[in-house]
Short mmCIF file of all heavy atoms in Angstrom, two decimals:
data_model
loop_
_atom_site.label_atom_id
_atom_site.label_comp_id
_atom_site.label_asym_id
_atom_site.label_seq_id
_atom_site.Cartn_x
_atom_site.Cartn_y
_atom_site.Cartn_z
N TRP A 335 29.25 -13.82 211.59
CA TRP A 335 28.53 -14.39 210.44
C TRP A 335 27.04 -14.08 210.54
O TRP A 335 26.42 -13.65 209.57
CB TRP A 335 28.76 -15.89 210.39
CG TRP A 335 28.18 -16.56 209.18
CD1 TRP A 335 28.78 -16.78 207.97
CD2 TRP A 335 26.86 -17.11 209.07
NE1 TRP A 335 27.92 -17.41 207.11
CE2 TRP A 335 26.74 -17.63 207.76
CE3 TRP A 335 25.77 -17.21 209.94
CZ2 TRP A 335 25.57 -18.23 207.32
CZ3 TRP A 335 24.61 -17.81 209.49
CH2 TRP A 335 24.52 -18.32 208.19
N ARG A 336 26.49 -14.27 211.73
CA ARG A 336 25.06 -13.99 211.92
C ARG A 336 24.76 -12.50 211.77
O ARG A 336 23.72 -12.11 211.22
CB ARG A 336 24.60 -14.49 213.29
CG ARG A 336 24.38 -16.00 213.35
CD ARG A 336 23.68 -16.40 214.64
NE ARG A 336 24.58 -16.25 215.78
CZ ARG A 336 25.36 -17.23 216.25
NH1 ARG A 336 25.36 -18.41 215.65
NH2 ARG A 336 26.15 -17.03 217.29
N SER A 337 25.67 -11.65 212.24
CA SER A 337 25.46 -10.21 212.13
C SER A 337 25.46 -9.77 210.67
O SER A 337 24.61 -8.98 210.25
CB SER A 337 26.56 -9.46 212.90
OG SER A 337 26.46 -9.70 214.29
N MET A 338 26.42 -10.28 209.89
CA MET A 338 26.45 -9.94 208.47
C MET A 338 25.19 -10.40 207.77
O MET A 338 24.61 -9.68 206.95
CB MET A 338 27.67 -10.58 207.82
CG MET A 338 28.91 -9.70 207.78
SD MET A 338 28.73 -8.29 206.66
CE MET A 338 28.65 -9.13 205.08
N THR A 339 24.73 -11.61 208.07
CA THR A 339 23.51 -12.13 207.47
C THR A 339 22.31 -11.28 207.85
O THR A 339 21.44 -10.99 207.02
CB THR A 339 23.28 -13.58 207.91
OG1 THR A 339 24.42 -14.39 207.56
CG2 THR A 339 22.04 -14.17 207.26
N GLN A 340 22.26 -10.83 209.10
CA GLN A 340 21.17 -9.98 209.57
C GLN A 340 21.14 -8.65 208.83
O GLN A 340 20.06 -8.16 208.45
CB GLN A 340 21.32 -9.74 211.08
CG GLN A 340 20.16 -9.01 211.73
CD GLN A 340 20.33 -8.88 213.23
OE1 GLN A 340 21.21 -9.51 213.84
NE2 GLN A 340 19.52 -8.04 213.85
N ILE A 341 22.31 -8.07 208.58
CA ILE A 341 22.38 -6.80 207.85
C ILE A 341 21.92 -6.98 206.41
O ILE A 341 21.15 -6.17 205.88
CB ILE A 341 23.81 -6.23 207.90
CG1 ILE A 341 24.18 -5.84 209.33
CG2 ILE A 341 23.94 -5.03 206.98
CD1 ILE A 341 25.65 -5.49 209.51
N VAL A 342 22.39 -8.03 205.76
CA VAL A 342 22.00 -8.29 204.37
C VAL A 342 20.49 -8.54 204.29
O VAL A 342 19.82 -8.06 203.37
CB VAL A 342 22.81 -9.47 203.79
CG1 VAL A 342 22.25 -9.89 202.43
CG2 VAL A 342 24.27 -9.07 203.65
N ASP A 343 19.95 -9.30 205.23
CA ASP A 343 18.50 -9.52 205.26
C ASP A 343 17.75 -8.20 205.38
O ASP A 343 16.72 -7.98 204.72
CB ASP A 343 18.13 -10.42 206.45
CG ASP A 343 18.53 -11.87 206.24
OD1 ASP A 343 18.82 -12.26 205.09
OD2 ASP A 343 18.56 -12.62 207.24
N PHE A 344 18.27 -7.31 206.22
CA PHE A 344 17.64 -5.99 206.41
C PHE A 344 17.64 -5.19 205.11
O PHE A 344 16.61 -4.61 204.73
CB PHE A 344 18.38 -5.23 207.51
CG PHE A 344 17.99 -3.79 207.63
CD1 PHE A 344 16.85 -3.41 208.33
CD2 PHE A 344 18.75 -2.79 207.03
CE1 PHE A 344 16.48 -2.08 208.44
CE2 PHE A 344 18.39 -1.45 207.13
CZ PHE A 344 17.26 -1.11 207.83
N ILE A 345 18.76 -5.17 204.42
CA ILE A 345 18.86 -4.40 203.18
C ILE A 345 17.91 -4.95 202.12
O ILE A 345 17.20 -4.20 201.44
CB ILE A 345 20.31 -4.38 202.66
CG1 ILE A 345 21.21 -3.60 203.63
CG2 ILE A 345 20.38 -3.77 201.26
CD1 ILE A 345 22.68 -3.65 203.29
N PHE A 346 17.87 -6.27 201.98
CA PHE A 346 16.96 -6.87 201.01
C PHE A 346 15.50 -6.56 201.38
O PHE A 346 14.69 -6.24 200.50
CB PHE A 346 17.17 -8.38 200.94
CG PHE A 346 18.20 -8.81 199.94
CD1 PHE A 346 19.41 -9.35 200.36
CD2 PHE A 346 17.98 -8.67 198.58
CE1 PHE A 346 20.37 -9.74 199.44
CE2 PHE A 346 18.93 -9.06 197.65
CZ PHE A 346 20.13 -9.60 198.08
N ALA A 347 15.17 -6.66 202.65
CA ALA A 347 13.79 -6.43 203.09
C ALA A 347 13.36 -4.98 202.85
O ALA A 347 12.25 -4.72 202.37
CB ALA A 347 13.64 -6.78 204.57
N GLU A 348 14.23 -4.03 203.15
CA GLU A 348 13.87 -2.62 203.00
C GLU A 348 13.75 -2.22 201.53
O GLU A 348 12.87 -1.45 201.16
CB GLU A 348 14.90 -1.73 203.72
CG GLU A 348 14.69 -1.66 205.21
CD GLU A 348 13.30 -1.19 205.58
OE1 GLU A 348 12.88 -0.13 205.06
OE2 GLU A 348 12.63 -1.87 206.37
N THR A 349 14.65 -2.72 200.69
CA THR A 349 14.55 -2.38 199.26
C THR A 349 13.34 -3.03 198.62
O THR A 349 12.75 -2.48 197.68
CB THR A 349 15.84 -2.78 198.51
OG1 THR A 349 16.16 -4.14 198.80
CG2 THR A 349 17.01 -1.91 198.94
N ALA A 350 12.95 -4.20 199.13
CA ALA A 350 11.75 -4.85 198.60
C ALA A 350 10.49 -4.12 199.06
O ALA A 350 9.50 -4.05 198.33
CB ALA A 350 11.71 -6.31 199.06
N ARG A 351 10.52 -3.58 200.29
CA ARG A 351 9.34 -2.89 200.83
C ARG A 351 9.12 -1.54 200.17
O ARG A 351 8.00 -1.15 199.89
CB ARG A 351 9.53 -2.68 202.34
CG ARG A 351 8.39 -1.92 203.01
CD ARG A 351 8.83 -1.23 204.29
NE ARG A 351 9.91 -0.29 204.05
CZ ARG A 351 9.74 0.93 203.51
NH1 ARG A 351 8.53 1.32 203.14
NH2 ARG A 351 10.77 1.72 203.32
N ALA A 352 10.21 -0.81 199.93
CA ALA A 352 10.10 0.57 199.45
C ALA A 352 9.76 0.61 197.97
O ALA A 352 10.17 -0.26 197.20
CB ALA A 352 11.40 1.31 199.72
N ALA A 353 9.06 1.65 197.59
CA ALA A 353 8.72 1.86 196.19
C ALA A 353 9.82 2.70 195.54
O ALA A 353 10.02 3.85 195.92
CB ALA A 353 7.37 2.56 196.07
N GLY A 354 10.54 2.12 194.59
CA GLY A 354 11.52 2.89 193.85
C GLY A 354 12.84 3.10 194.54
O GLY A 354 13.59 4.00 194.19
N LEU A 355 13.17 2.29 195.57
CA LEU A 355 14.46 2.42 196.26
C LEU A 355 15.41 1.34 195.76
O LEU A 355 15.07 0.16 195.72
CB LEU A 355 14.28 2.29 197.77
CG LEU A 355 15.58 2.34 198.60
CD1 LEU A 355 16.29 3.69 198.41
CD2 LEU A 355 15.29 2.09 200.07
N GLN A 356 16.61 1.77 195.39
CA GLN A 356 17.65 0.85 194.94
C GLN A 356 18.87 1.02 195.84
O GLN A 356 19.28 2.14 196.14
CB GLN A 356 18.03 1.13 193.49
CG GLN A 356 19.13 0.19 192.96
CD GLN A 356 19.49 0.51 191.51
OE1 GLN A 356 19.02 1.51 190.96
NE2 GLN A 356 20.31 -0.32 190.93
N ALA A 357 19.45 -0.09 196.28
CA ALA A 357 20.67 -0.06 197.08
C ALA A 357 21.81 -0.67 196.27
O ALA A 357 21.69 -1.79 195.77
CB ALA A 357 20.48 -0.83 198.38
N LEU A 358 22.88 0.08 196.14
CA LEU A 358 24.08 -0.39 195.46
C LEU A 358 25.12 -0.71 196.53
O LEU A 358 25.60 0.19 197.22
CB LEU A 358 24.60 0.67 194.49
CG LEU A 358 25.94 0.36 193.79
CD1 LEU A 358 25.85 -0.91 192.97
CD2 LEU A 358 26.36 1.54 192.92
N LEU A 359 25.45 -1.98 196.69
CA LEU A 359 26.37 -2.43 197.73
C LEU A 359 27.71 -2.78 197.12
O LEU A 359 27.80 -3.62 196.22
CB LEU A 359 25.78 -3.65 198.45
CG LEU A 359 26.62 -4.26 199.56
CD1 LEU A 359 26.84 -3.25 200.69
CD2 LEU A 359 25.96 -5.53 200.10
N ILE A 360 28.76 -2.12 197.59
CA ILE A 360 30.14 -2.42 197.17
C ILE A 360 30.80 -3.12 198.34
O ILE A 360 30.92 -2.55 199.43
CB ILE A 360 30.89 -1.13 196.80
CG1 ILE A 360 30.14 -0.37 195.70
CG2 ILE A 360 32.31 -1.44 196.36
CD1 ILE A 360 30.69 1.01 195.42
N GLU A 361 31.22 -4.37 198.13
CA GLU A 361 31.53 -5.22 199.28
C GLU A 361 32.64 -6.22 198.99
O GLU A 361 32.70 -6.80 197.91
CB GLU A 361 30.25 -5.95 199.70
CG GLU A 361 30.37 -6.86 200.88
CD GLU A 361 30.94 -6.15 202.09
OE1 GLU A 361 30.32 -5.19 202.58
OE2 GLU A 361 32.04 -6.55 202.52
N HIS A 362 33.54 -6.42 199.97
CA HIS A 362 34.56 -7.46 199.87
C HIS A 362 33.97 -8.85 200.12
O HIS A 362 34.41 -9.83 199.53
CB HIS A 362 35.68 -7.21 200.89
CG HIS A 362 36.62 -6.11 200.50
ND1 HIS A 362 37.25 -6.08 199.29
CD2 HIS A 362 37.03 -5.01 201.17
CE1 HIS A 362 38.03 -5.01 199.22
NE2 HIS A 362 37.89 -4.33 200.35
N ALA A 363 32.99 -8.92 201.02
CA ALA A 363 32.41 -10.22 201.36
C ALA A 363 31.50 -10.72 200.24
O ALA A 363 30.79 -9.94 199.61
CB ALA A 363 31.61 -10.10 202.66
N TYR A 364 31.55 -12.03 200.00
CA TYR A 364 30.68 -12.65 199.00
C TYR A 364 29.92 -13.78 199.69
O TYR A 364 30.50 -14.67 200.29
CB TYR A 364 31.48 -13.20 197.83
CG TYR A 364 30.60 -13.74 196.71
CD1 TYR A 364 29.82 -12.86 195.96
CD2 TYR A 364 30.55 -15.10 196.43
CE1 TYR A 364 29.01 -13.34 194.94
CE2 TYR A 364 29.75 -15.57 195.42
CZ TYR A 364 28.97 -14.70 194.67
OH TYR A 364 28.16 -15.17 193.68
N MET A 365 28.59 -13.73 199.59
CA MET A 365 27.74 -14.71 200.27
C MET A 365 27.27 -15.76 199.27
O MET A 365 26.16 -15.70 198.74
CB MET A 365 26.56 -14.00 200.94
CG MET A 365 26.99 -12.95 201.94
SD MET A 365 25.62 -12.04 202.70
CE MET A 365 24.83 -13.34 203.64
N ALA A 366 28.14 -16.73 199.01
CA ALA A 366 27.85 -17.74 197.99
C ALA A 366 26.67 -18.62 198.37
O ALA A 366 26.03 -19.22 197.50
CB ALA A 366 29.09 -18.59 197.75
N ILE A 367 26.36 -18.72 199.66
CA ILE A 367 25.27 -19.60 200.11
C ILE A 367 23.92 -18.90 200.09
O ILE A 367 22.90 -19.52 200.38
CB ILE A 367 25.55 -20.15 201.53
CG1 ILE A 367 25.66 -18.99 202.53
CG2 ILE A 367 26.82 -20.98 201.53
CD1 ILE A 367 25.78 -19.46 203.98
N ASP A 368 23.90 -17.61 199.79
CA ASP A 368 22.65 -16.85 199.77
C ASP A 368 22.26 -16.60 198.31
O ASP A 368 22.89 -15.80 197.61
CB ASP A 368 22.84 -15.52 200.50
CG ASP A 368 21.53 -14.77 200.72
OD1 ASP A 368 20.65 -14.85 199.84
OD2 ASP A 368 21.39 -14.10 201.76
#
C-alpha cells in the first residue's frame, strides 16, 4: 500500500514540476482516499 502511494505521489509530483508533461495512467487500482 505504501509503495503504491509512493509511486502515485512521484507521478503527480513530476507532472506538476514539468512544463507541458502529461501522464496517462491506465490502472486496475483505484485510490478512493486520494
Side-chain angles (χ1 to χ4, degrees):
W335 185 90
R336 282 191 289 268
S337 294
M338 268 291 294
T339 303
Q340 187 176 348
I341 293 170
V342 171
D343 287 344
F344 170 82
I345 293 174
F346 271 111
E348 281 304 309
T349 51
R351 178 204 59 77
L355 177 62
Q356 180 181 7
L358 175 60
L359 179 62
I360 303 171
E361 181 54 62
H362 284 307
Y364 185 68
M365 302 178 66
I367 61 174
D368 190 325

